Amino acid sequence: MADATAPARPICRTCGTQYAAARPDCPVCLDERQYVGRGGQQWTTLAGLREEGHSGRFEEQGPDVLGVGVTPEFAIGQRALLLRTAAGNVLWDCVPYLDDAMVRAVEELGGIDHIAISHPHFYSAMVEWAHAFDAPVHLHDADRQWVGRPDPAVRFWSGRTLQLTDEVTLINPGVHFPGSAVLHWSAGDGALFTGDVVNVCPDSRWVTLMHSYANHIPERPQAVRAAADLLAGYRFERIYGAWWNRVVTCHGNEVLARSVERYLRFEEGTVPGD
């Protein structure tokens, strides 16, 4: 799949976003939700990452859910998830790296029918993945401005929900980014895939919602409440977060409701004893 004639498209070393052409800055990193690395703006390419010895990492993260990542870790340590659904495979979120071995491994599992991404920090090399598997990329229209490499494979949706298949629904909760998305898979006991739009904490009995995790900017209480009300309409036992093994394995609805209640108590100043 490596094409020696393809242009060397720049990839930001800090966030992993791939751009269509060389540029002096990375808008994703300049935004208040991200940051420019201490050494200033630095770039690489897919070829450069391959020369540095990066490769794919695959690990099961749950029933019919395969984690897809990069080793050694690169950028913000993005981890995608391959959902093996009754209507075909869905890649949830994306990573900034791809090579022939990764393509073969995913093809052996049935390839990819749809790519859906939670928010701009995971756009990464989405067009490379779309081309490799001839799959559309579904992004919310409210985050159109963050697409660094426009391409016909990118399809924008709007509103609060998009039904991808009978079992898979994209939902726009409107936190972290205006066009943020989470994915609900209704099969079995139900699962919610959230990236860090709803972040699974190291203590997986809890989740949290923030405007910026890197810069510790809290999310607006009214937005958190609205997101929680929207997601309460879906049933899910498991919540899959953005990072390796950050998974709520049971009572997902209760975990989200309890976590939002705690968040709002602190943000609205109603914590007992204050």
Side-chain angles (χ1 to χ4, degrees):
M1 108 353 53
D3 182 358
T5 66
R9 302 186 188 276
I11 296 174
C12 174
R13 282 193 173 273
T14 300
C15 74
T17 301
Q18 185 187 62
Y19 289 90
R23 56 177 303 133
D25 57 9
C26 173
V28 172
C29 286
L30 290 173
D31 178 67
E32 67 182 0
R33 284 158 287 211
Q34 180 55 18
Y35 57 90
V36 177
R38 292 181 183 273
Q41 182 62 56
Q42 298 181 26
W43 300 98
T44 187
T45 62
L46 274 178
L49 291 173
R50 292 166 187 150
E51 290 171 2
E52 292 170 13
H54 291 276
S55 60
R57 174 183 174 186
F58 297 91
E59 291 182 18
E60 294 290 338
Q61 295 287 279
D64 291 318
V65 178
L66 180 68
V68 181
V70 183
T71 185
E73 188 175 283
F74 175 70
I76 60 173
Q78 293 98 322
R79 187 267 280 122
L81 294 166
L82 187 70
L83 286 56
R84 289 165 280 182
T85 82
N89 291 344
V90 177
L91 184 69
W92 171 247
D93 279 334
C94 200
V95 295
Y97 182 77
L98 185 62
D99 60 26
D100 292 344
M102 295 176 76
V103 172
R104 287 194 298 270
V106 174
E107 289 285 12
E108 288 173 1
L109 296 170
I112 296 171
D113 295 277
H114 295 278
I115 300 171
I117 301 181
S118 60
H119 67 291
H121 295 153
F122 282 78
Y123 287 179
S124 57
M126 61 184 178
V127 175
E128 300 285 345
W129 282 80
H131 289 181
F133 297 99
D134 193 24
V137 181
H138 302 280
L139 306 180
H140 197 281
D141 186 67
D143 286 343
R144 180 188 290 260
Q145 72 183 90
W146 301 107
V147 175
R149 182 182 171 185
D151 189 88
V154 178
R155 300 181 184 177
F156 295 100
W157 60 282
S158 60
R160 284 301 191 189
T161 63
L162 174 68
Q163 195 77 36
L164 273 188
T165 73
D166 288 345
E167 295 181 347
V168 174
T169 305
L170 300 182
I171 307 163
N172 167 230
V175 290
H176 195 34
F177 278 80
S180 63
V182 300
L183 183 153
H184 180 255
W185 187 7
S186 63
D189 293 326
L192 196 67
F193 297 78
T194 62
D196 61 359
V197 173
V198 177
N199 189 50
V200 177
C201 298
D203 179 348
S204 61
R205 297 174 300 171
W206 301 91
V207 297
T208 193
L209 300 87
M210 295 190 74
H211 179 68
S212 169
Y213 295 93
N215 298 317
H216 307 292
I217 305 172
E219 186 52 271
R220 301 152 295 156
Q222 65 271 27
V224 171
R225 185 178 290 106
D229 290 345
L230 177 63
L231 296 177
Y234 297 85
R235 179 181 58 86
F236 46 91
E237 274 290 293
R238 301 171 73 90
I239 304 175
Y240 291 86
W243 318 116
W244 290 103
N245 302 312
R246 291 286 187 92
V247 181
V248 173
T249 58
C250 61
H251 308 304
N253 285 96
E254 292 87 344
V255 168
L256 177 59
R258 183 175 67 244
S259 299
V260 166
E261 190 274 335
R262 180 176 73 169
Y263 183 95
L264 293 174
R265 280 192 288 111
F266 275 86
E267 282 302 305
E268 295 175 342
T270 58
V271 180
D274 279 3

